[in-house]
């Protein structure tokens, strides 16, 4: 029985574009051009300015909750860093 579900990381990279929201916040035009390139579309200027994370957050996360979540998701984040093949370590502030 030949199972063709064993896709390599290279196959996945050809089909997914992972973007850093901080990069989008600081340089939206270059990220937009990266998306167009990934989709094999012609370059064009970003028509509408992008506003990200605009809002007022009344409550903050307690240090206890933050530490718990960091510990809980640490192994998954480490696996994600390895898949991304880029220096995303610490991107979420730890």
């Amino acid at each position: 029985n030949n199972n063709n579900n064993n896709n390599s990381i290279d196959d996945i990279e050809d089909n997914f574009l992972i973007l850093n929201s901080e990069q989008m916040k600081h340089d939206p035009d270059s990220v937009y051009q990266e998306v167009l390139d990934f989709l094999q579309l012609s370059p064009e200027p970003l028509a509408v300015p992008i506003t990200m994370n605009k809002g007022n957050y009344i409550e903050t996360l307690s240090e206890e909750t933050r530490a718990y979540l960091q510990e809980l998701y640490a192994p998954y984040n480490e696996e994600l860093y390895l898949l991304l093949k880029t220096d995303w370590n610490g991107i979420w502030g730890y």
Side-chain angles (χ1 to χ4, degrees):
N1 186 8
N2 188 6
N3 186 350
N4 291 328
N5 290 331
N6 295 326
N7 294 332
S8 73
I9 292 298
D10 293 333
D11 294 334
I12 293 170
E13 288 175 349
D14 291 341
N15 294 302
F16 289 93
L17 176 63
I18 309 293
L19 301 170
N20 180 326
S21 63
E22 288 297 314
Q23 185 181 7
M24 184 69 166
K25 180 179 175 181
H26 296 293
D27 192 4
D29 192 56
S30 70
V31 174
Y32 178 66
Q33 298 308 318
E34 184 180 354
V35 171
L36 292 176
D37 184 53
F38 179 79
L39 297 173
Q40 299 178 350
L41 299 173
S42 299
E44 61 179 75
L46 185 60
V48 179
I50 295 177
T51 303
M52 295 181 59
N53 296 331
K54 200 72 166 169
N56 296 323
Y57 300 99
I58 298 169
E59 295 184 34
T60 59
L61 196 60
S62 75
E63 286 303 315
E64 181 182 6
T65 301
R66 180 180 304 279
Y68 169 76
L69 292 172
Q70 287 175 343
E71 183 179 338
L72 178 67
Y73 289 105
Y76 306 105
N77 286 338
E78 187 62 37
E79 192 172 336
L80 178 61
Y81 303 144
L82 294 173
L83 282 172
L84 294 175
K85 293 183 181 178
T86 187
D87 187 19
W88 286 55
N89 198 6
I91 198 71
W92 293 285
Y94 61 95

